Amino acid sequence: MDKTSWGTATIAARGGYEPALGEGVVPGIQPSSTFVVPGNPGEVPHAYARGGSPAYEPLERAMAALEGGADAVVFSAGMAAAIALLDEAAPGTAVVMPGDAYYGIRVWAEQELPKRGVEVRIVDPRDRTALERALPGASLLWAETPTNPHVAITDLAEIAALAAAHGVPWICDNTFATPILQRPIADGALATMHSLTKYVGGHGDLVLGAAACAGSDLAARLRARRNRVGTQPDAFSCWLARRGVQTLPLRIRRQSATALVLARCLAAHPKIARVHYPGLPDDPGYVVASRQMDGAYGAIVSIVVDGGAEAAQAVVDNVRLWIPATSLGGVESLIERRARWAGEVADPALLRLSVGVEEPEDLWRDLERALA
Ligand code: PLP
């Protein structure tokens, strides 16, 4: 069968690996830091693991195939992938970035890019006029949708049109949607960026990042940069993340369906001041998300609890099934008050819920009891 006609779940299930006759059905873990090279290292695919390793390749192939990119490069963390991409901005130009980009990336950009002679212009990507004003002189436009932690939606078709009109390449942090629900490269993105730590890994047991690239030239530059600065992944995490890819479609759809159930229950609860979830028809992102996401709205629900930070913290302190912890995207449901992190811009009473794969009824009963 022709591989180019494979559907998403089939690509994911194969996880970038095709065993040859007599080989294992799953790839082995190759932990070697160095490879046998008697002569010219340019003549072999791998010489030293900072530059590349067979351990990274199935995962890189899987991410490229799922995102519809020419290639993908895996890094030690989502932050390392983001920084490698942002470092593509040329000195003397600007990077346009949403104010609600993941705070770690926004803070890094604001603190570090000016030192490299790159101006950072923070805009609301849903404000077309502001974007139009910010784009001239920029060499990169950063997008993130849905955002962390407000689950806000940016219209990627509009971003693509504006970026093209100004000749500015754009990149999308696709961590929340995953390539199962959204494929920005098909809309014209130069690349997508992932914290594989989240849904792709999916089990809370690794930290990795990836950049899936529309073109192989960008991937080659990112790989060379990874080699120079030493932001390569580790072999075992790559092995785990590749295994995560195989069940990603099942998990993200199940988790998104549960998130929708919970968002509806929460929206009707008297102690909830606001629910941020683009699957609710009165959410500002509903119309665009319904168009650009593939039949689901993701598995993060953020809520603002009536009564301020103390009331919100009381919910975190009283849940029994939800686990009070940061991060997201795993099979266990996590809850946290985001404003506890310095640098995060969020209502003091905002709780981010990362919905896992438990029974929806159990998750709701636990939340309802903690809210009471
Ligand atoms: N992008 C988003 C949307 C995130 O939520 C995170 C981490 O929370 C990152 C990027 C950074 O990824 P990592 O923690 O793997 O470095």
Side-chain angles (χ1 to χ4, degrees), residues 243-307:
R243 189 168 68 165
V245 165
Q246 295 181 287
T247 54
L248 176 63
L250 301 172
R251 287 184 285 103
I252 190 73
R253 292 209 179 271
R254 155 85 186 201
Q255 288 170 257
S256 298
T258 305
L260 181 57
V261 168
L262 295 178
R264 285 178 181 147
C265 294
L266 287 160
H269 196 284
K271 288 197 178 158
I272 302 298
R274 167 109 201 244
V275 178
H276 297 268
Y277 189 68
L280 297 177
D282 59 357
D283 187 274
Y286 177 74
V287 173
V288 174
S290 300
R291 165 163 50 78
Q292 79 188 11
M293 296 178 75
D294 187 1
Y297 300 89
I300 302 298
V301 181
S302 286
I303 53 176
V304 178
V305 179
D306 245 346

Side-chain angles (χ1 to χ4, degrees), residues 77-79 102 105 144 148 173 175-176 193 195 197-198 207-208 328:
M79 283 305 300
Y102 168 63
I105 294 175
E144 179 182 323
N148 183 4
D173 182 336
T175 299
F176 269 37
M193 177 255 137
S195 171
T197 315
K198 310 300 187 313
V207 177
L208 283 183
L328 55 103

Side-chain angles (χ1 to χ4, degrees), residues 22 42 55 61 65 70 73 86 109 188 233 267 303 323 334:
R61 276 197 298 272
V73 185
L86 287 166
I303 53 176
I323 300 173
L334 306 182

Side-chain angles (χ1 to χ4, degrees), residues 26-66:
V26 298
I29 305 170
Q30 173 50 276
S32 192
S33 58
T34 190
F35 302 87
V36 180
V37 188
N40 177 5
E43 285 168 6
V44 290
H46 308 292
Y48 187 54
R50 207 178 60 224
S53 159
Y56 320 151
E57 289 172 354
L59 176 60
E60 294 188 329
R61 276 197 298 272
M63 288 306 296
L66 284 176

